[in-house]
Amino acid sequence: MNRNMLFVLLKNEIAEQFRSRKLIVVIVVFFIFGLLSPITAMFMPDIISSVSESQNIKIEVPPPTWTDAVVQYIKNMTQIITFVLIIVYMGIVAREKENGILVFLLVKPVKRTAIILSKYISVLLVATTAILVSFVVSAFYTILFFDGFVIQDFLLQNLFILFNIISTLFIVVLFSSVFKSQIVAGILSFVAYLLISLTSQLDRVSEYLPSGLIAQCNNIMQGEDLSFIPIVGSIVFMILCVVISIISFRKWEA
């Protein structure tokens, strides 16, 4: 495979995501939820107290700590963000099948493998950039609001979160490359995400799947033993997604 061709396709893919504002939307969403996590943790007790007083209900809320901010951050990054990413990227390949862009590319001497790899690499770069943005803004305000925050641990947690997000994006690209309909790709991506998430209840299974990554985030926060097996399992899972996509796309008749 020609590396220059892959680079050109990747460059065009990033440029297209910027023109279509997908890249901007993703970065902004990560920034907002990275910002909201420590702010919500800091002011939520005051909001609850204010509401309870107005309703003549006494609710005692403990003072917020940095762990509240981190817990909120993990939830935002692995739940709300996931839905946004599925919606944004469910047509990354399928839409181009529908509008004929891929047919136009295949008329030229462009390798199908290079096209698929450019899609995967692009979402990997976007996810890495976005998580870096959310990490910086969330860490800044958590340090500002709370004492005892360990930024090294938070950085390690973001590594596990990054692999979780990339795994989800690879699922989306997989279904988008296999099916021609964006809607079908989006629905199946969401179902697959839910099924994998459910395996988190099975310790022996989740340890080898992306669902085990979030458990490691909690282990870091609680000072428990850490395992990098979920990262290895996620890498294998992602490679499998890429291989299936390439095989399927090679068989696709434009």
Side-chain angles (χ1 to χ4, degrees):
M1 181 178 60
N2 192 319
R3 292 183 179 179
N4 291 332
M5 181 188 298
L6 177 59
F7 177 77
V8 171
L9 288 171
L10 178 59
K11 183 180 177 181
N12 289 338
E13 179 63 29
I14 296 296
E16 174 58 29
Q17 289 194 35
F18 186 81
R19 284 193 297 268
S20 63
R21 299 182 181 177
K22 289 181 180 179
L23 179 58
I24 298 174
V25 167
V26 171
I27 297 297
V28 169
V29 168
F30 272 75
F31 176 87
I32 290 174
F33 282 100
L35 177 65
L36 283 178
S37 299
I39 291 179
T40 301
M42 181 65 183
F43 296 106
M44 185 56 70
D46 293 335
I47 295 174
I48 293 175
S49 297
S50 176
V51 172
S52 62
E53 288 178 3
S54 66
Q55 299 296 324
N56 295 321
I57 302 173
K58 185 177 182 181
I59 301 177
E60 294 184 2
V61 181
T65 65
W66 65 267
T67 57
D68 297 317
V70 173
V71 168
Q72 187 63 45
Y73 179 86
I74 294 173
K75 287 181 179 179
N76 289 340
M77 291 297 117
T78 57
Q79 295 177 12
I80 300 175
I81 289 292
T82 298
F83 302 142
V84 173
L85 292 176
I86 290 175
I87 293 172
V88 170
Y89 287 107
M90 64 185 184
I92 189 169
V93 181
R95 182 179 61 83
E96 294 184 357
K97 287 182 179 179
E98 292 176 348
N99 60 25
I101 292 178
L102 289 180
V103 175
F104 174 76
L105 281 176
L106 293 176
V107 171
K108 299 182 176 183
V110 179
K111 298 292 185 181
R112 296 193 178 209
T113 299
I115 293 175
I116 292 299
L117 288 179
S118 69
K119 304 295 184 181
Y120 278 105
I121 296 174
S122 69
V123 297
L124 189 152
L125 293 176
V126 169
T128 303
T129 303
I131 199 70
L132 180 61
V133 169
S134 62
F135 164 76
V136 171
V137 67
S138 185
F140 175 80
Y141 281 98
T142 303
I143 292 173
L144 186 66
F145 291 153
F146 305 105
D147 295 326
F149 176 65
V150 182
I151 193 169
Q152 294 90 337
D153 289 348
F154 189 53
L155 179 61
L156 188 56
Q157 287 173 314
N158 274 267
L159 175 63
F160 284 97
I161 293 172
L162 174 61
F163 274 93
N164 180 269
I165 289 172
I166 294 175
S167 298
T168 300
L169 282 171
F170 273 38
I171 292 173
V172 178
V173 178
L174 168 62
F175 285 117
S176 188
S177 63
V178 172
F179 298 95
K180 189 174 181 178
S181 170
Q182 300 181 57
I183 303 301
V184 172
I187 293 174
L188 291 178
S189 297
F190 181 69
V191 171
Y193 163 75
L194 290 179
L195 291 176
I196 293 175
S197 298
L198 289 175
T199 63
S200 62
Q201 307 300 320
L202 307 172
D203 293 338
R204 292 184 179 180
V205 176
S206 65
E207 188 177 6
Y208 301 96
L209 292 173
S211 55
L213 294 165
I214 306 308
Q216 300 308 313
C217 291
N218 296 328
N219 289 345
I220 293 172
M221 192 161 50
Q222 296 166 7
E224 298 179 0
D225 293 336
L226 189 63
S227 172
F228 288 93
I229 293 178
I231 287 183
V232 177
S234 296
I235 292 174
V236 173
F237 175 82
M238 289 186 284
I239 292 174
L240 185 61
C241 287
V242 175
V243 171
I244 295 174
S245 291
I246 291 174
I247 294 174
S248 174
F249 192 60
R250 283 179 176 176
K251 295 180 178 180
W252 177 61
E253 296 182 2

